[in-house]
Amino acid sequence: PTNSSLIGVNRGCWETFAAVYDCEVPVIAAVHGYCLAGGVRIAGNAAIRSALLGRQRAFRKPPGLVADGRDMGTVVFPDATLKIFLTADIQVRAQRRYKQLIDKGIRANLAALSRELEERDRRDAHREVAPLKAAADAVQVDSSALSIDQVVDLIVKQYREKTSGKA
């Protein structure tokens, strides 16, 4: 990729975009890893990941950073103070995604979403570059039966315990 094909953005939260022009329109991809319009998968693209790594790490500044992504704890920030490996049952994840899409006015098929999530997990877990896996020191959290507030409370508690309440 060239510099013109990679764009780093910080809007007060963690966002890294890779613009991929193979699909006739620019595609936002990096954290979520694929082009819906054309099926172009970039999550396992070593050149793009390498080009983004320095930009991703540059976002790490005081007072801190919450980073979301499938390789944040293993590749991008392996020395992070706290690493959370957040999981949920595939059907729960599909239902959550379905609701997000419907709420945005986007038609969706629950069975197809479930299959796509399962395939993405399988593909990401077996890719050669930055495979999906929990860091050895990550706290694993299954959010299947938890609300967003419960997950946030659990993570804040883990952080306070890890930092001895200094934050």
Side-chain angles (χ1 to χ4, degrees):
T2 65
N3 287 339
S4 63
S5 67
L6 300 174
I7 306 164
V9 178
N10 181 6
R11 294 186 186 169
C13 62
W14 178 255
E15 293 178 319
T16 301
F17 297 93
V20 180
Y21 296 96
D22 301 58
C23 299
E24 297 179 12
V25 294
V27 176
I28 294 173
V31 173
H32 295 290
Y34 60 92
C35 164
L36 292 174
V40 176
R41 293 179 178 94
I42 66 161
N45 185 306
I48 290 175
R49 285 192 169 271
S50 176
L52 288 174
L53 189 59
R55 289 173 180 238
Q56 290 171 307
R57 288 182 175 160
F59 285 113
R60 182 186 207 160
K61 296 177 183 159
L65 168 71
V66 174
D68 168 75
R70 292 182 164 217
D71 65 348
M72 292 296 118
T74 56
V75 176
V76 181
F77 302 111
D79 60 338
T81 301
L82 176 65
K83 299 172 204 158
I84 302 291
F85 192 77
L86 188 63
T87 64
D89 176 79
I90 197 78
Q91 294 304 318
V92 171
R93 290 171 51 214
Q95 184 64 46
R96 289 172 179 167
R97 183 68 177 140
Y98 178 83
K99 183 180 179 333
Q100 285 176 332
L101 293 171
I102 296 301
D103 288 350
K104 291 179 180 179
I106 301 170
R107 291 187 316 168
N109 178 293
L110 185 58
L113 285 170
S114 180
R115 284 190 306 273
E116 289 169 9
L117 287 170
E118 198 164 31
E119 170 57 23
R120 180 178 174 214
D121 287 352
R122 186 203 60 72
R123 184 178 61 245
D124 288 357
H126 294 94
R127 68 182 177 219
E128 288 184 35
V129 178
L132 169 64
K133 65 180 180 178
D137 58 342
V139 175
Q140 297 202 29
V141 175
D142 183 343
S143 69
S144 299
L146 302 175
S147 69
I148 292 172
D149 289 339
Q150 289 171 315
V151 171
V152 170
D153 289 346
L154 193 151
I155 292 171
V156 168
K157 179 182 176 199
Q158 289 290 326
Y159 180 77
R160 286 186 176 143
E161 288 174 6
K162 184 89 171 178
T163 61
S164 301
K166 296 175 188 168

